[in-house]
Amino acid sequence: NNNVAQEVSEPNKQDNILRELNPHLSFDEVDILYHLAVDTSDLEGLKNKYRDVKFVCMGGSRGRVENFARQAYEAMSGYYSMPPDAHTNDIARRAGRFVMYKVGPVLTLNHGMGFGSLNIALHEVAKLLRYSGATDFSFIRMGTSGGLGAEPGTVIITKEAYDATCEPGYEVVSCGKKVRYDATADKKLNEEFIQAAEDLSINYQIGNTMGCDDFYEAQCRLDGALCDYTLKDKFDFIRRANKEAGVFNMEMEANVFLSFCNRAKIPGAVVCCSIVNRLKGDQITSTKEELKSFEQHPLQLILQVIKNRVVEA
Ligand code: URA
């Protein structure tokens, strides 16, 4: 993982990387990134606009991304020259699927809930940056999750992601075949997040994250419309995941996100706050105000990581 940044650091290598990852792609044909409402017909325009991207920050909901774009704009306006509407100009608006903003070196977009829409967002945003000749960029997921012991507000920095059967990684269905890929986070990025959490005195844990293709049954909730297991089954499974596999939280994207990053040679990190302690219950009982403040924690950490890098540069 730590070799990744070096591998992608030369702009003239972008064509090679693009072809290595998918030999069917080239810079010579127009590629329509359908769900982002972007295409490559004006490659020079894309390069001018996206070449300087260093952080792709993704979260599930549009609101979180809109909020993050606004905060990133405020935090970075002293360091970067940006169009005055950078944080309000939704680049993906025409497609009606995701919102996406380019704020200085930050590209931020929402990925919806769960594996399907996340995979689409990842493919298209990774291609966008490769076509644009961006280098040394990282992908970061800023999310919410159910903590296994972690109280609401605690941020879990993912070391490795597991699937909902408690196997490490993610099984991709690729042209009719199932292939399992590793889903570890980038060590260096994680160290930067730990530093940021220390700088800001935000409660954090470093552990493994279970990415589930559902909020209810896959996360062993007892409050879905359907449930074929007992309270004991739930606690046997989540306690074993916690004790034996070091799973500290459950959400719906981490293993897809990190396995994609590894395959695409992009340093990746997942930072999610807990919004419920699943050892105590299944329902999200925090008030709107409390949830708003919990959700801020991953955003604050990302802005601090960016700030620390800018100060070091
Ligand atoms: N998101 C999830 O996927 N699960 C939770 O319990 C909370 C947020």
Side-chain angles (χ1 to χ4, degrees), residues 64 113 141 143-147 210 212 214-216 219 221 249-253 272-278 281-284:
R64 194 177 316 144
M113 275 186 289
R141 165 166 148 71
T144 57
S145 63
M210 186 176 281
C212 304
D214 168 40
F215 187 80
Y216 290 99
Q219 296 187 25
R221 277 189 156 81
N249 60 337
M250 289 170 139
E251 43 82 279
M252 295 191 281
E253 287 88 11
C272 292
C273 66
S274 163
I275 56 168
V276 55
N277 179 354
R278 293 296 313 288
D282 291 343
Q283 298 256 308
I284 316 291

PDB file of all heavy atoms in Angstrom, residues 64 113 141 143-147 210 212 214-216 219 221 249-253 272-278 281-284, ligand 1:
ATOM      1  N   ARG A  64     -24.553  15.445   3.730  1.00  0.00           N
ATOM      2  CA  ARG A  64     -23.216  15.424   4.339  1.00  0.00           C
ATOM      3  C   ARG A  64     -22.183  15.990   3.377  1.00  0.00           C
ATOM      4  O   ARG A  64     -21.276  16.727   3.759  1.00  0.00           O
ATOM      5  CB  ARG A  64     -22.841  13.993   4.739  1.00  0.00           C
ATOM      6  CG  ARG A  64     -21.631  13.925   5.669  1.00  0.00           C
ATOM      7  CD  ARG A  64     -21.331  12.494   6.110  1.00  0.00           C
ATOM      8  NE  ARG A  64     -22.557  11.815   6.467  1.00  0.00           N
ATOM      9  CZ  ARG A  64     -22.777  10.526   6.223  1.00  0.00           C
ATOM     10  NH1 ARG A  64     -21.873   9.779   5.637  1.00  0.00           N
ATOM     11  NH2 ARG A  64     -23.931   9.975   6.559  1.00  0.00           N
ATOM     12  N   MET A 113     -26.477   4.709  -0.564  1.00  0.00           N
ATOM     13  CA  MET A 113     -26.372   3.678   0.468  1.00  0.00           C
ATOM     14  C   MET A 113     -26.070   2.325  -0.160  1.00  0.00           C
ATOM     15  O   MET A 113     -26.742   1.903  -1.097  1.00  0.00           O
ATOM     16  CB  MET A 113     -27.706   3.556   1.215  1.00  0.00           C
ATOM     17  CG  MET A 113     -27.864   4.541   2.337  1.00  0.00           C
ATOM     18  SD  MET A 113     -29.363   4.206   3.267  1.00  0.00           S
ATOM     19  CE  MET A 113     -30.611   4.698   2.114  1.00  0.00           C
ATOM     20  N   ARG A 141     -13.574   7.664   2.730  1.00  0.00           N
ATOM     21  CA  ARG A 141     -15.013   7.594   2.999  1.00  0.00           C
ATOM     22  C   ARG A 141     -15.291   8.158   4.383  1.00  0.00           C
ATOM     23  O   ARG A 141     -14.680   7.767   5.374  1.00  0.00           O
ATOM     24  CB  ARG A 141     -15.503   6.142   2.913  1.00  0.00           C
ATOM     25  CG  ARG A 141     -16.866   5.966   3.525  1.00  0.00           C
ATOM     26  CD  ARG A 141     -17.559   4.681   3.197  1.00  0.00           C
ATOM     27  NE  ARG A 141     -18.411   4.232   4.287  1.00  0.00           N
ATOM     28  CZ  ARG A 141     -19.564   4.799   4.657  1.00  0.00           C
ATOM     29  NH1 ARG A 141     -20.031   5.850   4.022  1.00  0.00           N
ATOM     30  NH2 ARG A 141     -20.253   4.332   5.684  1.00  0.00           N
ATOM     31  N   GLY A 143     -18.176   8.359   6.974  1.00  0.00           N
ATOM     32  CA  GLY A 143     -19.479   7.724   7.124  1.00  0.00           C
ATOM     33  C   GLY A 143     -20.007   7.670   8.540  1.00  0.00           C
ATOM     34  O   GLY A 143     -19.400   8.179   9.479  1.00  0.00           O
ATOM     35  N   THR A 144     -21.171   7.019   8.641  1.00  0.00           N
ATOM     36  CA  THR A 144     -21.748   6.708   9.954  1.00  0.00           C
ATOM     37  C   THR A 144     -21.820   5.182  10.062  1.00  0.00           C
ATOM     38  O   THR A 144     -21.800   4.483   9.040  1.00  0.00           O
ATOM     39  CB  THR A 144     -23.161   7.290  10.111  1.00  0.00           C
ATOM     40  OG1 THR A 144     -23.980   6.790   9.055  1.00  0.00           O
ATOM     41  CG2 THR A 144     -23.142   8.806  10.076  1.00  0.00           C
ATOM     42  N   SER A 145     -21.902   4.683  11.281  1.00  0.00           N
ATOM     43  CA  SER A 145     -21.881   3.230  11.463  1.00  0.00           C
ATOM     44  C   SER A 145     -22.483   2.861  12.817  1.00  0.00           C
ATOM     45  O   SER A 145     -22.705   3.725  13.665  1.00  0.00           O
ATOM     46  CB  SER A 145     -20.431   2.727  11.393  1.00  0.00           C
ATOM     47  OG  SER A 145     -19.669   3.274  12.451  1.00  0.00           O
ATOM     48  N   GLY A 146     -22.717   1.573  12.997  1.00  0.00           N
ATOM     49  CA  GLY A 146     -23.131   1.061  14.301  1.00  0.00           C
ATOM     50  C   GLY A 146     -21.897   0.522  15.006  1.00  0.00           C
ATOM     51  O   GLY A 146     -21.208  -0.349  14.476  1.00  0.00           O
ATOM     52  N   GLY A 147     -21.588   1.058  16.189  1.00  0.00           N
ATOM     53  CA  GLY A 147     -20.392   0.621  16.921  1.00  0.00           C
ATOM     54  C   GLY A 147     -20.647  -0.681  17.663  1.00  0.00           C
ATOM     55  O   GLY A 147     -21.755  -0.906  18.153  1.00  0.00           O
ATOM     56  N   MET A 210     -17.072  -4.064   9.513  1.00  0.00           N
ATOM     57  CA  MET A 210     -17.835  -5.017   8.709  1.00  0.00           C
ATOM     58  C   MET A 210     -18.726  -4.253   7.738  1.00  0.00           C
ATOM     59  O   MET A 210     -19.587  -3.477   8.163  1.00  0.00           O
ATOM     60  CB  MET A 210     -18.672  -5.906   9.634  1.00  0.00           C
ATOM     61  CG  MET A 210     -19.383  -7.019   8.902  1.00  0.00           C
ATOM     62  SD  MET A 210     -20.273  -8.115  10.041  1.00  0.00           S
ATOM     63  CE  MET A 210     -18.954  -9.123  10.673  1.00  0.00           C
ATOM     64  N   CYS A 212     -21.684  -4.337   5.199  1.00  0.00           N
ATOM     65  CA  CYS A 212     -22.837  -5.224   5.014  1.00  0.00           C
ATOM     66  C   CYS A 212     -23.711  -4.675   3.889  1.00  0.00           C
ATOM     67  O   CYS A 212     -23.869  -3.469   3.762  1.00  0.00           O
ATOM     68  CB  CYS A 212     -23.672  -5.266   6.285  1.00  0.00           C
ATOM     69  SG  CYS A 212     -22.729  -5.759   7.741  1.00  0.00           S
ATOM     70  N   ASP A 214     -26.735  -4.392   3.707  1.00  0.00           N
ATOM     71  CA  ASP A 214     -28.069  -4.113   4.241  1.00  0.00           C
ATOM     72  C   ASP A 214     -27.915  -3.534   5.636  1.00  0.00           C
ATOM     73  O   ASP A 214     -26.919  -3.776   6.308  1.00  0.00           O
ATOM     74  CB  ASP A 214     -28.856  -5.445   4.291  1.00  0.00           C
ATOM     75  CG  ASP A 214     -30.138  -5.355   5.097  1.00  0.00           C
ATOM     76  OD1 ASP A 214     -30.828  -4.334   4.990  1.00  0.00           O
ATOM     77  OD2 ASP A 214     -30.421  -6.308   5.843  1.00  0.00           O
ATOM     78  N   PHE A 215     -28.904  -2.775   6.060  1.00  0.00           N
ATOM     79  CA  PHE A 215     -28.906  -2.177   7.400  1.00  0.00           C
ATOM     80  C   PHE A 215     -29.501  -3.145   8.421  1.00  0.00           C
ATOM     81  O   PHE A 215     -29.171  -3.070   9.604  1.00  0.00           O
ATOM     82  CB  PHE A 215     -29.762  -0.909   7.321  1.00  0.00           C
ATOM     83  CG  PHE A 215     -29.775  -0.032   8.541  1.00  0.00           C
ATOM     84  CD1 PHE A 215     -28.730   0.856   8.803  1.00  0.00           C
ATOM     85  CD2 PHE A 215     -30.851  -0.057   9.417  1.00  0.00           C
ATOM     86  CE1 PHE A 215     -28.759   1.694   9.915  1.00  0.00           C
ATOM     87  CE2 PHE A 215     -30.882   0.784  10.527  1.00  0.00           C
ATOM     88  CZ  PHE A 215     -29.836   1.651  10.779  1.00  0.00           C
ATOM     89  N   TYR A 216     -30.395  -4.033   7.988  1.00  0.00           N
ATOM     90  CA  TYR A 216     -31.170  -4.864   8.922  1.00  0.00           C
ATOM     91  C   TYR A 216     -30.586  -6.275   9.081  1.00  0.00           C
ATOM     92  O   TYR A 216     -29.759  -6.514   9.952  1.00  0.00           O
ATOM     93  CB  TYR A 216     -32.649  -4.884   8.501  1.00  0.00           C
ATOM     94  CG  TYR A 216     -33.287  -3.522   8.745  1.00  0.00           C
ATOM     95  CD1 TYR A 216     -33.442  -2.599   7.721  1.00  0.00           C
ATOM     96  CD2 TYR A 216     -33.674  -3.150  10.025  1.00  0.00           C
ATOM     97  CE1 TYR A 216     -33.986  -1.344   7.966  1.00  0.00           C
ATOM     98  CE2 TYR A 216     -34.228  -1.897  10.284  1.00  0.00           C
ATOM     99  CZ  TYR A 216     -34.381  -1.002   9.251  1.00  0.00           C
ATOM    100  OH  TYR A 216     -34.909   0.235   9.499  1.00  0.00           O
ATOM    101  N   GLN A 219     -26.845  -6.866   9.253  1.00  0.00           N
ATOM    102  CA  GLN A 219     -26.221  -6.303  10.457  1.00  0.00           C
ATOM    103  C   GLN A 219     -26.829  -6.902  11.735  1.00  0.00           C
ATOM    104  O   GLN A 219     -26.673  -6.353  12.820  1.00  0.00           O
ATOM    105  CB  GLN A 219     -26.348  -4.778  10.454  1.00  0.00           C
ATOM    106  CG  GLN A 219     -25.588  -4.133   9.304  1.00  0.00           C
ATOM    107  CD  GLN A 219     -25.543  -2.612   9.350  1.00  0.00           C
ATOM    108  OE1 GLN A 219     -25.667  -1.994  10.397  1.00  0.00           O
ATOM    109  NE2 GLN A 219     -25.357  -1.997   8.192  1.00  0.00           N
ATOM    110  N   ARG A 221     -29.770  -6.999  12.898  1.00  0.00           N
ATOM    111  CA  ARG A 221     -30.752  -6.227  13.666  1.00  0.00           C
ATOM    112  C   ARG A 221     -31.980  -7.100  13.919  1.00  0.00           C
ATOM    113  O   ARG A 221     -32.323  -7.965  13.106  1.00  0.00           O
ATOM    114  CB  ARG A 221     -31.145  -4.954  12.904  1.00  0.00           C
ATOM    115  CG  ARG A 221     -30.175  -3.821  13.109  1.00  0.00           C
ATOM    116  CD  ARG A 221     -30.709  -2.515  12.530  1.00  0.00           C
ATOM    117  NE  ARG A 221     -30.095  -1.377  13.184  1.00  0.00           N
ATOM    118  CZ  ARG A 221     -28.891  -0.905  12.867  1.00  0.00           C
ATOM    119  NH1 ARG A 221     -28.200  -1.460  11.889  1.00  0.00           N
ATOM    120  NH2 ARG A 221     -28.395   0.118  13.526  1.00  0.00           N
ATOM    121  N   ASN A 249     -17.040  -1.898  14.182  1.00  0.00           N
ATOM    122  CA  ASN A 249     -18.274  -1.240  13.715  1.00  0.00           C
ATOM    123  C   ASN A 249     -18.812  -1.917  12.453  1.00  0.00           C
ATOM    124  O   ASN A 249     -18.095  -2.649  11.770  1.00  0.00           O
ATOM    125  CB  ASN A 249     -18.050   0.267  13.478  1.00  0.00           C
ATOM    126  CG  ASN A 249     -16.996   0.583  12.447  1.00  0.00           C
ATOM    127  OD1 ASN A 249     -16.117  -0.221  12.170  1.00  0.00           O
ATOM    128  ND2 ASN A 249     -17.074   1.764  11.872  1.00  0.00           N
ATOM    129  N   MET A 250     -20.098  -1.651  12.209  1.00  0.00           N
ATOM    130  CA  MET A 250     -20.768  -2.211  11.031  1.00  0.00           C
ATOM    131  C   MET A 250     -21.365  -1.068  10.224  1.00  0.00           C
ATOM    132  O   MET A 250     -21.986  -0.155  10.798  1.00  0.00           O
ATOM    133  CB  MET A 250     -21.923  -3.124  11.461  1.00  0.00           C
ATOM    134  CG  MET A 250     -21.493  -4.423  12.092  1.00  0.00           C
ATOM    135  SD  MET A 250     -22.956  -5.210  12.806  1.00  0.00           S
ATOM    136  CE  MET A 250     -22.681  -6.890  12.363  1.00  0.00           C
ATOM    137  N   GLU A 251     -21.165  -1.126   8.921  1.00  0.00           N
ATOM    138  CA  GLU A 251     -21.808  -0.144   8.030  1.00  0.00           C
ATOM    139  C   GLU A 251     -22.056  -0.826   6.684  1.00  0.00           C
ATOM    140  O   GLU A 251     -22.148  -2.051   6.649  1.00  0.00           O
ATOM    141  CB  GLU A 251     -21.013   1.177   7.964  1.00  0.00           C
ATOM    142  CG  GLU A 251     -19.516   1.055   7.861  1.00  0.00           C
ATOM    143  CD  GLU A 251     -19.043   0.800   6.479  1.00  0.00           C
ATOM    144  OE1 GLU A 251     -19.102  -0.377   6.052  1.00  0.00           O
ATOM    145  OE2 GLU A 251     -18.540   1.726   5.809  1.00  0.00           O
ATOM    146  N   MET A 252     -22.175  -0.060   5.619  1.00  0.00           N
ATOM    147  CA  MET A 252     -22.616  -0.687   4.378  1.00  0.00           C
ATOM    148  C   MET A 252     -21.697  -0.442   3.174  1.00  0.00           C
ATOM    149  O   MET A 252     -22.135  -0.577   2.038  1.00  0.00           O
ATOM    150  CB  MET A 252     -24.041  -0.213   4.052  1.00  0.00           C
ATOM    151  CG  MET A 252     -25.056  -0.678   5.080  1.00  0.00           C
ATOM    152  SD  MET A 252     -26.736  -0.404   4.576  1.00  0.00           S
ATOM    153  CE  MET A 252     -26.899   1.315   4.932  1.00  0.00           C
ATOM    154  N   GLU A 253     -20.446  -0.064   3.428  1.00  0.00           N
ATOM    155  CA  GLU A 253     -19.594   0.258   2.280  1.00  0.00           C
ATOM    156  C   GLU A 253     -18.106  -0.080   2.420  1.00  0.00           C
ATOM    157  O   GLU A 253     -17.395  -0.179   1.414  1.00  0.00           O
ATOM    158  CB  GLU A 253     -19.676   1.770   1.962  1.00  0.00           C
ATOM    159  CG  GLU A 253     -20.968   2.244   1.327  1.00  0.00           C
ATOM    160  CD  GLU A 253     -22.027   2.622   2.363  1.00  0.00           C
ATOM    161  OE1 GLU A 253     -21.684   2.716   3.571  1.00  0.00           O
ATOM    162  OE2 GLU A 253     -23.192   2.805   1.992  1.00  0.00           O
ATOM    163  N   CYS A 272     -15.504   6.401  10.062  1.00  0.00           N
ATOM    164  CA  CYS A 272     -16.943   6.451  10.331  1.00  0.00           C
ATOM    165  C   CYS A 272     -17.175   6.718  11.807  1.00  0.00           C
ATOM    166  O   CYS A 272     -16.517   6.128  12.654  1.00  0.00           O
ATOM    167  CB  CYS A 272     -17.589   5.103  10.018  1.00  0.00           C
ATOM    168  SG  CYS A 272     -17.601   4.672   8.291  1.00  0.00           S
ATOM    169  N   CYS A 273     -18.149   7.569  12.105  1.00  0.00           N
ATOM    170  CA  CYS A 273     -18.492   7.714  13.522  1.00  0.00           C
ATOM    171  C   CYS A 273     -19.569   6.692  13.856  1.00  0.00           C
ATOM    172  O   CYS A 273     -20.367   6.291  13.000  1.00  0.00           O
ATOM    173  CB  CYS A 273     -18.948   9.127  13.837  1.00  0.00           C
ATOM    174  SG  CYS A 273     -20.462   9.563  13.059  1.00  0.00           S
ATOM    175  N   SER A 274     -19.576   6.267  15.104  1.00  0.00           N
ATOM    176  CA  SER A 274     -20.655   5.403  15.590  1.00  0.00           C
ATOM    177  C   SER A 274     -21.855   6.303  15.867  1.00  0.00           C
ATOM    178  O   SER A 274     -21.704   7.408  16.387  1.00  0.00           O
ATOM    179  CB  SER A 274     -20.188   4.715  16.880  1.00  0.00           C
ATOM    180  OG  SER A 274     -21.306   4.199  17.581  1.00  0.00           O
ATOM    181  N   ILE A 275     -23.050   5.844  15.460  1.00  0.00           N
ATOM    182  CA  ILE A 275     -24.258   6.604  15.841  1.00  0.00           C
ATOM    183  C   ILE A 275     -25.162   5.753  16.732  1.00  0.00           C
ATOM    184  O   ILE A 275     -26.226   6.203  17.144  1.00  0.00           O
ATOM    185  CB  ILE A 275     -25.032   7.152  14.615  1.00  0.00           C
ATOM    186  CG1 ILE A 275     -25.418   6.047  13.629  1.00  0.00           C
ATOM    187  CG2 ILE A 275     -24.248   8.243  13.920  1.00  0.00           C
ATOM    188  CD1 ILE A 275     -26.420   6.502  12.568  1.00  0.00           C
ATOM    189  N   VAL A 276     -24.747   4.518  17.020  1.00  0.00           N
ATOM    190  CA  VAL A 276     -25.489   3.657  17.944  1.00  0.00           C
ATOM    191  C   VAL A 276     -24.513   2.587  18.438  1.00  0.00           C
ATOM    192  O   VAL A 276     -23.662   2.128  17.672  1.00  0.00           O
ATOM    193  CB  VAL A 276     -26.735   3.019  17.254  1.00  0.00           C
ATOM    194  CG1 VAL A 276     -26.357   2.259  15.978  1.00  0.00           C
ATOM    195  CG2 VAL A 276     -27.485   2.066  18.182  1.00  0.00           C
ATOM    196  N   ASN A 277     -24.613   2.241  19.716  1.00  0.00           N
ATOM    197  CA  ASN A 277     -23.805   1.134  20.232  1.00  0.00           C
ATOM    198  C   ASN A 277     -24.639  -0.128  20.100  1.00  0.00           C
ATOM    199  O   ASN A 277     -25.596  -0.335  20.846  1.00  0.00           O
ATOM    200  CB  ASN A 277     -23.421   1.397  21.688  1.00  0.00           C
ATOM    201  CG  ASN A 277     -22.600   0.249  22.267  1.00  0.00           C
ATOM    202  OD1 ASN A 277     -22.404  -0.788  21.619  1.00  0.00           O
ATOM    203  ND2 ASN A 277     -22.114   0.439  23.480  1.00  0.00           N
ATOM    204  N   ARG A 278     -24.287  -0.989  19.155  1.00  0.00           N
ATOM    205  CA  ARG A 278     -25.102  -2.177  18.846  1.00  0.00           C
ATOM    206  C   ARG A 278     -25.094  -3.211  19.966  1.00  0.00           C
ATOM    207  O   ARG A 278     -25.902  -4.136  19.946  1.00  0.00           O
ATOM    208  CB  ARG A 278     -24.613  -2.790  17.528  1.00  0.00           C
ATOM    209  CG  ARG A 278     -24.853  -1.929  16.282  1.00  0.00           C
ATOM    210  CD  ARG A 278     -26.332  -1.731  16.002  1.00  0.00           C
ATOM    211  NE  ARG A 278     -27.065  -2.963  16.084  1.00  0.00           N
ATOM    212  CZ  ARG A 278     -27.005  -3.964  15.185  1.00  0.00           C
ATOM    213  NH1 ARG A 278     -26.283  -3.822  14.097  1.00  0.00           N
ATOM    214  NH2 ARG A 278     -27.702  -5.079  15.358  1.00  0.00           N
ATOM    215  N   GLY A 281     -28.352  -1.776  21.636  1.00  0.00           N
ATOM    216  CA  GLY A 281     -29.643  -1.736  20.945  1.00  0.00           C
ATOM    217  C   GLY A 281     -29.476  -1.587  19.437  1.00  0.00           C
ATOM    218  O   GLY A 281     -28.362  -1.475  18.927  1.00  0.00           O
ATOM    219  N   ASP A 282     -30.604  -1.617  18.745  1.00  0.00           N
ATOM    220  CA  ASP A 282     -30.586  -1.559  17.281  1.00  0.00           C
ATOM    221  C   ASP A 282     -31.069  -0.213  16.740  1.00  0.00           C
ATOM    222  O   ASP A 282     -30.677   0.218  15.658  1.00  0.00           O
ATOM    223  CB  ASP A 282     -31.478  -2.665  16.704  1.00  0.00           C
ATOM    224  CG  ASP A 282     -30.893  -4.060  16.949  1.00  0.00           C
ATOM    225  OD1 ASP A 282     -29.684  -4.147  17.256  1.00  0.00           O
ATOM    226  OD2 ASP A 282     -31.641  -5.040  16.837  1.00  0.00           O
ATOM    227  N   GLN A 283     -31.973   0.443  17.479  1.00  0.00           N
ATOM    228  CA  GLN A 283     -32.580   1.673  16.973  1.00  0.00           C
ATOM    229  C   GLN A 283     -31.638   2.860  17.180  1.00  0.00           C
ATOM    230  O   GLN A 283     -30.865   2.895  18.139  1.00  0.00           O
ATOM    231  CB  GLN A 283     -33.885   1.930  17.737  1.00  0.00           C
ATOM    232  CG  GLN A 283     -34.920   0.834  17.551  1.00  0.00           C
ATOM    233  CD  GLN A 283     -36.021   1.232  16.603  1.00  0.00           C
ATOM    234  OE1 GLN A 283     -36.623   2.284  16.763  1.00  0.00           O
ATOM    235  NE2 GLN A 283     -36.279   0.397  15.615  1.00  0.00           N
ATOM    236  N   ILE A 284     -31.747   3.809  16.246  1.00  0.00           N
ATOM    237  CA  ILE A 284     -30.969   5.048  16.363  1.00  0.00           C
ATOM    238  C   ILE A 284     -31.823   6.015  17.184  1.00  0.00           C
ATOM    239  O   ILE A 284     -32.838   6.519  16.685  1.00  0.00           O
ATOM    240  CB  ILE A 284     -30.670   5.666  14.971  1.00  0.00           C
ATOM    241  CG1 ILE A 284     -30.229   4.601  13.946  1.00  0.00           C
ATOM    242  CG2 ILE A 284     -29.696   6.828  15.065  1.00  0.00           C
ATOM    243  CD1 ILE A 284     -28.912   3.975  14.157  1.00  0.00           C
TER     244      ILE A 284
HETATM  245  N1  URA B   1     -25.075   2.842   9.360  1.00  0.00           N
HETATM  246  C1  URA B   1     -25.158   1.494   9.325  1.00  0.00           C
HETATM  247  O1  URA B   1     -24.977   0.883   8.269  1.00  0.00           O
HETATM  248  N2  URA B   1     -25.470   0.837  10.453  1.00  0.00           N
HETATM  249  C2  URA B   1     -25.691   1.460  11.623  1.00  0.00           C
HETATM  250  O2  URA B   1     -25.990   0.809  12.616  1.00  0.00           O
HETATM  251  C3  URA B   1     -25.596   2.870  11.650  1.00  0.00           C
HETATM  252  C4  URA B   1     -25.281   3.537  10.487  1.00  0.00           C
END
